[in-house]
Amino acid sequence: MSKKKDTVLVSGGAGYIGTHTTVALIEAGYDVVMIDNFSNSEPSAVEGVEKILGRKMTFEECDTCDIKALRGVFERHEFSTVIHFAAYKAVGESMAEPLKYYQNNLVSYMNILQLMKEFGRPNILFSSSATVYGDADVLPVTEQTPRKPATSPYGNTKQIAEDILRDCCAAYEGMYGIALRYFNPVGAHPSALIGELPRGVPNNLLPFVTQTAAGLRECLSVFGNDYDTPDGTCLRDYIDVVDLAKAHVAAVDRMTEGKMEQKYEIFNVGTGRPGSVLELLTRFEKANDLKLPYKIVGRRPGDVPAVWADTAVANKVLGWKAERDLDDTLRAAWAWEKHLRNIK
Ligand code: UD1
């Protein structure tokens, strides 16, 4: 373990990416204050982090939409940097309940920015998404690729939040921001003590795959095999969550070591390699030596045919690169599902 560095406030700390990032930050020598309101996570996730690290964590139950409660967190803890994960993320639900998404994702975010300004806390790292690129004209996408108009309120909250950060960093002398645009985070910690905890029927591919393998779902539906791609299914950039967590550490290093070249910077966080839905299924079956029942069904509205990252900027500027082997990622995802369901 390296020498003590700054303290980082992690909002949504009990979530899928929040837990993995907390582990990576502590392992890199940072201190972390985790906050979460458990709206889409469980206290057991914090216990998982504690088991991995062999120590108690500083955790406060707090709804970031509640500025009074959040102010208390700012008053009680010193930190230079905030990583803001706390947000809703289900695309379909955001179409049905846009206000819920705008309210939660933007109010919580503005509360954080407001208090950072008030308390003079300089650095914020925002969880953005490849969804901001939409159906891009040129692939892979670079950070300069023009954003397409959002096709869901969820996607719109990511675009708006990026713009708010750009404006705040331009206006407020003491504020520095990084937006990380995640591609498709998958997998779990190799310890199988933390991972994704979807509530109800999963929307995302890999949790549906692992739940099908565990027998919780009868059959996986592959949404469309008539896309203009090599095997007809969509192409995505599946990035291991442990690699993704390390990208956060690299970004926090850059901010806390005063290395930012601009006050607001954006990085793609992916592997740079496209993979199809069918490839992912086949690799999952092989890596875990099992068979998955699946059927081809119609396209899912809103899906883009293909998106993957040009990672040159993140590789060079952050000095970060995705390293995990996809087979290991798929084994870790299955190990986590088995841990959850008590499957031997
Ligand atoms: C989605 C969101 C993205 C969000 C991300 C994380 C869209 C258009 N994008 O990414 O904004 O940041 O989730 O929440 O919704 N698939 C199946 N069967 C399934 C599930 C998925 O075939 O049961 C396919 C999809 O059609 C897609 C691929 O698997 O081609 C990946 O889907 P998913 O895991 O939902 O991620 P995205 O849609 O890429």
Side-chain angles (χ1 to χ4, degrees), residues 170-343:
Y172 305 129
E173 206 187 329
M175 192 174 280
Y176 296 81
I178 289 182
L180 294 184
R181 290 178 175 160
Y182 310 150
F183 283 69
N184 288 62
V186 289
H189 194 267
S191 65
L193 290 168
I194 53 172
E196 204 167 352
L197 261 181
R199 288 199 172 147
V201 183
N203 297 303
N204 297 115
L205 179 61
L206 201 55
F208 207 105
V209 165
T210 55
Q211 289 197 5
T212 306
L216 270 80
R217 313 278 155 210
E218 218 166 277
C219 182
L220 172 79
S221 296
V222 173
F223 297 137
N225 67 347
D226 56 353
Y227 286 98
D228 184 16
T229 58
D231 67 18
T233 64
C234 294
L235 297 174
R236 294 289 184 273
D237 185 334
Y238 295 99
I239 165 98
D240 188 287
V241 67
V242 174
D243 279 332
L244 180 67
K246 289 182 182 162
H248 292 77
V249 175
V252 173
D253 285 346
R254 183 167 171 82
M255 287 193 284
T256 56
E257 291 166 10
K259 291 189 176 149
M260 287 179 71
E261 282 155 31
Q262 292 159 42
K263 292 200 67 203
Y264 170 55
E265 297 178 339
I266 300 172
F267 298 100
N268 280 345
V269 187
T271 64
R273 286 184 304 272
S276 79
V277 176
L278 284 182
E279 275 166 32
L280 199 85
L281 299 193
T282 316
R283 289 281 288 267
F284 182 86
E285 290 184 323
K286 253 206 199 131
N288 293 302
D289 197 19
L290 47 78
K291 276 278 166 219
L292 266 184
Y294 76 87
K295 59 176 190 278
I296 310 286
V297 302
R299 294 181 178 195
R300 181 172 69 176
D303 275 344
V304 299
V307 63
W308 70 95
D310 183 322
T311 60
V313 176
N315 296 161
K316 182 159 175 273
V317 178
L318 289 181
W320 165 91
K321 203 174 182 338
E323 285 169 348
R324 295 261 297 160
D325 175 70
L326 182 60
D327 291 326
D328 288 339
T329 303
L330 297 172
R331 280 190 277 269
W334 178 227
W336 165 244
E337 188 70 52
K338 286 197 291 186
H339 166 82
L340 277 180
R341 315 293 164 201
N342 286 319
I343 298 171

Side-chain angles (χ1 to χ4, degrees), residues 27-47:
E27 284 174 344
Y30 287 97
D31 222 336
V32 172
V33 176
M34 305 166 85
I35 56 172
D36 207 298
N37 65 350
F38 297 125
S39 66
N40 192 26
S41 59
E42 307 286 340
S44 61
V46 182
E47 290 160 22

